[in-house]
Amino acid sequence: MGATCIALVPAYNEEAGIAQTIESLLNQTRRPDLVVVVANNCTDRTVEIARTYPVQVVDMWRNPDKKAGAMNFAWEQYAAGHDFVFTMDADTELAPDAIKHLVADLEADTGLGAVCARYWAKEGEGLVWRLQRLEYARFDDTRDLRGWKVQVASGAAVMYRNEALLQVCRELGRPTPWDGTSLIEDYALTLDLKTVGWRVAASSTAHVHTDTPATFGELWQQRLRWCRGGIDEVRKRGWTPATRRDIGAYGFFGFSTLMRVLFVVFLVLLLVNDGSWRFALVGLIPLAVMFLERVTSFMRLSGKSWRDWSVVVVVLVEDAYGLFLEACTFKAIYNSLRTRRQAW
């Protein structure tokens, strides 16, 4: 008998897309043995729509732990006896062979506790969508260059080895795998898996498409939660083998930001004290390398249009987006240090 797999889908007011999400699960070339949709404090038609499909639907209308609480409840009730536990966001759609590839990755490497899919932005429109679409492509390039090693097994679509989840519960002394107090439960569980000796990775062959925030305001709130959650987790855990790479990344972020500020100060001082400039072609080399890298990762995208090309060619647009994300990170650090509670 082959390995068994259960799929858990926490959903909060997802009536607009829950049907497509469930259908993408049921149409897999390797279907999960059981699909459990957990309606998390829903006030819309999510439950009604989900119940029209051959899946198990749980209506948790009082769930203080939100997404983590929904997954923990479903895991306790339904995951026993299954070899693999797949979780995905309710606004995500799977490529038809995603489950097959994720299961194959775990079966091929017994040291992997979790493997996440490669995620891309769903079809959309507008500048905010295009910038996130490009960002996801850049991030995918980074994972490829790192041999599909990741700092977080992204909760958009991730396959866990149930043995690893049970070990987290056993060694960390808690009844369920996901931390209901964390703003980003997928990152917290990634660190827990690493702490008890498992590795995590991204699949090079499993693809999913996920929703993206439609406005800069929504994007700010999403990234503020992600950044704040990550900072809170490393502050809570301190310097450990599981966190040292991430702490180093935050240190590098601070150093690179300082260098950027010093460069601007240097330019201002030149203008104020000298005012004379000489053009040197060698100064264009870093810009040329950066531009080549952006075009290379951009070419991975399907359905490229002239609007996408215009964002890439006008380098300052993506630079401004980068500054937006950096500002979000600084705000998250400030909030964390001030111990302010960050809303979901």
Side-chain angles (χ1 to χ4, degrees), residues 112 151 182 184 190 326 342:
L112 277 179
Q151 292 173 277
S182 176
I184 47 174
T190 298
E326 288 181 6
Q342 174 63 46

Side-chain angles (χ1 to χ4, degrees), residues 107-332:
E107 289 180 330
D109 188 344
T110 57
L112 277 179
V115 59
C116 62
R118 298 168 66 177
Y119 55 90
W120 309 87
K122 286 183 181 179
E123 285 302 311
E125 57 183 17
L127 180 61
V128 180
W129 168 73
R130 293 186 191 283
L131 288 169
Q132 291 174 88
R133 186 168 175 249
L134 290 169
E135 179 192 7
Y136 285 6
R138 313 276 189 239
F139 182 62
D140 194 70
D141 259 4
T142 301
R143 287 187 294 187
D144 191 359
L145 291 172
R146 293 182 58 187
W148 305 106
K149 297 177 181 177
V150 292
Q151 292 173 277
V152 54
S154 171
V158 56
M159 186 75 71
Y160 296 99
R161 194 182 301 276
N162 206 13
E163 175 190 352
L165 298 181
L166 289 167
Q167 185 177 345
V168 165
C169 296
R170 186 170 58 251
E171 294 196 16
L172 300 185
R174 64 184 193 227
T176 51
W178 288 274
D179 183 357
T181 67
S182 176
L183 285 174
I184 47 174
E185 76 296 322
D186 52 356
Y187 178 57
L189 182 54
T190 298
L191 292 179
D192 290 336
L193 288 168
K194 292 178 179 179
T195 298
V196 300
W198 293 93
R199 291 181 290 105
V200 302
S203 173
S204 62
T205 50
H207 297 261
V208 303
H209 288 81
T210 188
D211 275 344
T212 54
T215 67
F216 281 110
E218 293 175 2
L219 179 62
W220 176 268
Q221 289 301 320
Q222 179 199 66
R223 298 308 173 87
L224 195 60
R225 177 171 64 84
W226 288 1
C227 294
R228 170 69 188 272
I231 295 163
D232 284 351
E233 287 299 326
V234 296
R235 289 187 63 208
K236 177 172 64 179
R237 298 163 189 266
W239 182 271
T240 70
T243 61
R244 59 192 178 193
R245 179 186 291 273
D246 299 346
I247 293 174
Y250 284 119
F252 180 76
F253 168 77
F255 175 77
S256 61
T257 302
L258 175 62
M259 290 299 100
R260 187 190 304 231
V261 171
L262 291 177
F263 178 69
V264 172
V265 171
F266 174 71
L267 291 180
V268 171
L269 290 176
L270 280 179
L271 287 172
V272 172
N273 296 321
D274 185 4
S276 60
W277 293 82
R278 287 193 305 169
F279 180 76
L281 288 176
V282 69
L284 296 179
I285 293 177
L287 292 176
V289 171
M290 180 181 68
F291 182 76
L292 180 63
E293 183 275 328
R294 291 186 179 184
V295 170
T296 300
S297 56
F298 168 70
M299 295 305 295
R300 286 175 177 254
L301 291 176
S302 60
K304 294 179 286 295
S305 70
W306 68 267
R307 291 184 177 87
D308 298 308
W309 276 108
S310 66
V311 172
V312 174
V313 171
V314 183
V315 178
L316 291 178
V317 176
E318 285 194 90
D319 283 348
Y321 180 62
L323 291 173
F324 172 85
L325 297 180
E326 288 181 6
C328 184
T329 302
F330 278 114
K331 176 64 173 174

Side-chain angles (χ1 to χ4, degrees), residues 69-90:
M71 291 189 294
N72 281 331
F73 180 84
W75 181 81
E76 282 188 294
Q77 296 296 314
Y78 299 101
H82 290 282
D83 299 290
F84 303 119
V85 178
F86 176 70
T87 69
M88 65 180 293
D89 289 342

